[in-house]
Amino acid sequence: MQTITLQALNDFEEWRKAARGLLQAGIAPEDVEWRDPASDAGLFGGDGEPPSGKQPVGSVPPAFIELARTAIANSDPERFALLYRLLWRLQADRSILEVSSDPDVTRLVRLASAVRRDSHKMKAFVRFRSIRDDTGLERFAAWFEPEHYCLEMTAPFFARRFAGMIWAIVTPYASAFWDGESLAFGPGGQKSDVPEDDAVEADWKTYFSSIFNPARLKVAMMKSEMPVKYWRNLPEAELIAPLIRGAREAEQDMIERVASLPPSRHVRQKAREDIRPEAESEIVSLADARAAVQGCRRCPLYEHATQAVFGEGPEHAQVMFVGEQPGDQEDLAGKPFVGPAGKVLDAAVEKVGINRSRVYVTNAVKHFKFEPRGKRRIHQKPDGGEITACRFWLNLEIEFVKPKVIVALGATAAQSLLGRTATISKLRGAPITMDDGTTLYVTNHPSYLLRIPDREKQALERAKFEADLVLVRDAITALEARH
Ligand code: URA
């Protein structure tokens, strides 16, 4: 019997590496015992020699990888064995996933669905509590007890949604920390680690000051999802106490850094004050987001605009076009791309053969920014702070629509989507794979074409714009061929 002891409860890559070694050694599923930190023998069982061998390993269908990545977060102790059994069987028959009556396949699908449901519940029911420390810095924390190990897959959703806040989500098996810039995972905690209501509690302050320590986070990441109760059994455990003791200084450092944020960050700081996390965490659909955006106070642009202009198009469109911000006509109509730039876009989209009715169209910034000049309202480019503040809403659209391809129209959209300033000429013409696997194409904004006075130059730029859209069309065609 070969024993495999995994360090993490839900790390697909760790399992995959072990499973590959077993396959290469030709070890059958019934000869493997899988353990993880939650198993009784978890950390202390002997593994014996790691498997070795050179047997060829065949590729598996992407659908298996996708399901397995999710199912591995199920708390069913048999999940690793089930995945390995399926992997073993797929070596002989790549089509077994298509047999939905196969008991292993049914179980895999069931495990993955349960995890997705749990993740969805986390998105819907996490309630952040506000904690303001002596310096006035506000942070948020939430306690949640998922049925499965789904914090890691769900935390990026909160990072996108509450990008401007500093927050922690504590669960019994792991914690997630967002410092406004990066997401880190640490050990689990207890319900008492998080206050019941928006009060500053002494215990909580102690806990918080240590978990937000950068040094502690490093340790936490080293330990991965290992429950804290196991730490004492590890040789490195003696390092932890001194690190936590050093937490206060490092935290003070962090507070000072936040207090001296550059100007554009002040917009985020302001946005943070206005956030009502409870209300926002109740957004569980595109329709909720569409309604909530009208109350947005994340930056001052709402003050002069007629209304927020949210995206439009099929809820599960495969393609999303992202423009800059609504123009004068869009601001009045409450719909994106209905003015002159929209006409240019529609014509080009139709010319290259993209079905416009299957495209979701939106903007990086939802309120019209302008300068009044007489009776006219002159378009103003949104600044970095406004783009960042509004990324919250674009994230929600991406989260709910789940496009496979996104097209950034112009530098503002590209900046919002890439998180850095972007030069169109350097980025256009080739797909960019985003962190979540979405394919991004960058091209000019259609209104740029309208502003070119020289006829010849305009024709040339129009042709380049259409050539970019041809790439998008081909990507859509390839996607459709796969389904
Ligand atoms: N320009 C944009 O970027 N978006 C619109 O909706 C209209 C004009």
Side-chain angles (χ1 to χ4, degrees):
M1 180 65 70
Q2 177 79 44
T3 303
I4 300 290
T5 304
L6 299 171
Q7 295 298 305
L9 292 161
N10 55 3
D11 184 343
F12 178 73
E13 295 309 330
E14 186 192 19
W15 170 85
R16 174 144 81 171
K17 194 162 162 238
R20 201 177 162 79
L22 291 167
L23 278 186
Q24 284 174 329
I27 301 175
E30 52 277 18
D31 295 328
V32 185
E33 185 190 347
W34 293 89
R35 294 176 183 171
D36 68 29
S39 328
D40 286 343
L43 285 167
F44 315 110
D47 271 0
E49 286 297 302
S52 68
K54 292 251 176 305
Q55 296 206 20
V57 175
S59 69
V60 291
F64 171 73
I65 306 282
E66 204 177 316
L67 278 167
R69 270 188 200 285
T70 309
I72 207 155
N74 196 293
S75 54
D76 184 335
E78 293 299 313
R79 65 197 177 286
F80 305 117
L82 171 74
L83 294 181
Y84 185 57
R85 194 160 58 245
L86 273 162
L87 183 65
W88 177 268
R89 293 180 58 202
L90 281 165
Q91 301 299 304
D93 177 1
R94 270 178 61 94
S95 68
I96 49 175
L97 281 195
E98 286 152 34
V99 186
S100 53
S101 58
D102 182 289
D104 283 344
V105 174
T106 316
R107 188 144 166 228
L108 174 69
V109 170
R110 222 177 321 113
L111 293 194
S113 308
V115 171
R116 274 195 293 270
R117 267 200 310 280
D118 210 27
S119 167
H120 186 73
K121 262 200 244 163
M122 184 180 279
K123 289 177 190 170
F125 298 123
V126 156
R127 291 287 175 272
F128 283 107
R129 304 296 175 200
S130 159
I131 302 105
R132 211 177 270 280
D133 68 16
D134 303 340
T135 69
L137 184 71
E138 191 173 26
R139 293 149 168 188
F140 297 87
W143 165 252
F144 192 75
E145 286 180 71
E147 247 174 83
H148 303 290
Y149 305 121
C150 64
L151 178 65
E152 293 83 346
M153 63 189 275
T154 317
F157 165 87
F158 289 98
R160 290 193 292 273
R161 180 172 290 189
F162 299 116
M165 297 165 23
I166 296 175
W167 56 253
I169 299 174
V170 184
T171 79
Y173 85 93
S175 306
F177 313 109
W178 173 253
D179 65 3
E181 289 189 346
S182 55
L183 193 56
F185 295 95
Q190 295 173 3
K191 191 166 187 214
S192 57
D193 291 330
V194 177
E196 290 282 333
D197 48 34
D198 290 4
V200 181
E201 292 182 6
D203 285 354
W204 161 252
K205 278 173 82 178
T206 310
Y207 177 77
F208 217 82
S209 59
S210 63
I211 60 174
F212 272 103
N213 175 263
R216 169 86 190 277
L217 287 183
K218 233 191 226 157
V219 172
M221 283 190 285
M222 259 163 43
K223 297 284 167 288
S224 183
E225 293 79 22
M226 200 174 289
V228 83
K229 65 184 171 191
Y230 292 116
W231 285 22
R232 64 175 182 277
N233 300 304
L234 299 169
E236 310 93 296
E238 60 197 47
L239 290 175
I240 295 171
L243 280 171
I244 293 176
R245 273 202 297 279
R248 311 282 150 138
E249 287 117 66
E251 196 206 13
Q252 192 53 40
D253 251 349
M254 194 177 86
I255 290 165
E256 275 158 21
R257 268 192 289 126
V258 173
S260 59
L261 294 173
S264 66
R265 295 278 189 79
H266 284 302
V267 174
R268 283 173 67 186
Q269 195 82 23
K270 177 185 182 312
R272 194 178 298 163
E273 284 159 22
D274 285 335
I275 287 170
R276 297 182 313 278
E278 297 235 344
E280 286 181 349
S281 66
E282 273 152 26
I283 299 172
V284 292
S285 68
L286 193 62
D288 289 347
R290 184 185 299 283
V293 73
Q294 295 306 337
C296 181
R297 302 288 181 266
R298 290 179 166 258
C299 79
L301 292 185
Y302 73 92
E303 285 169 16
H304 301 291
T306 309
Q307 58 194 314
V309 178
F310 207 59
E312 284 213 328
E315 176 148 2
H316 297 297
Q318 290 197 321
V319 189
M320 178 181 281
F321 279 76
V322 182
E324 182 190 75
Q325 60 167 342
D328 183 72
Q329 296 195 25
E330 288 79 13
D331 169 80
L332 297 172
K335 290 171 182 296
F337 283 102
V338 293
K343 304 265 177 315
V344 174
L345 179 64
D346 289 351
V349 159
E350 193 187 336
K351 185 163 172 197
V352 304
I354 297 174
N355 186 342
R356 173 73 167 78
S357 67
R358 295 177 67 181
V359 171
Y360 187 94
V361 180
T362 189
N363 285 299
V365 172
K366 309 300 185 205
H367 284 110
F368 179 34
K369 181 175 181 182
F370 62 92
E371 197 181 273
R373 217 173 283 160
K375 283 196 179 144
R376 295 181 60 213
R377 302 190 297 174
I378 308 298
H379 162 274
Q380 297 272 294
K381 203 172 152 51
D383 66 26
E386 289 150 356
I387 295 169
T388 306
C390 216
R391 179 76 213 249
F392 172 81
W393 299 107
L394 181 58
N395 282 340
L396 285 175
E397 290 177 293
I398 296 172
E399 183 77 34
F400 292 125
V401 176
K402 295 193 177 54
K404 299 271 190 319
V405 176
I406 300 183
V407 185
L409 299 167
T412 298
Q415 179 176 345
S416 172
L417 289 157
L418 293 169
R420 58 183 159 87
T421 51
T423 310
I424 304 298
S425 58
K426 288 195 188 143
L427 297 174
R428 74 189 314 174
I432 298 166
T433 305
M434 294 173 64
D435 288 349
D436 63 357
T438 313
T439 303
L440 173 70
Y441 286 93
V442 174
T443 186
N444 267 322
H445 193 283
S447 62
Y448 164 73
L449 304 177
L450 288 171
R451 289 196 305 267
I452 304 174
D454 181 89
R455 279 257 187 112
E456 233 170 79
K457 171 131 199 265
Q458 192 183 99
L460 183 71
E461 287 300 328
R462 224 175 251 270
K464 285 208 264 177
F465 182 61
E466 287 164 10
D468 287 339
L469 294 188
V470 165
L471 297 179
V472 175
R473 180 203 62 200
D474 291 348
I476 303 169
T477 311
L479 273 175
E480 284 171 352
R482 254 186 266 149
H483 288 101

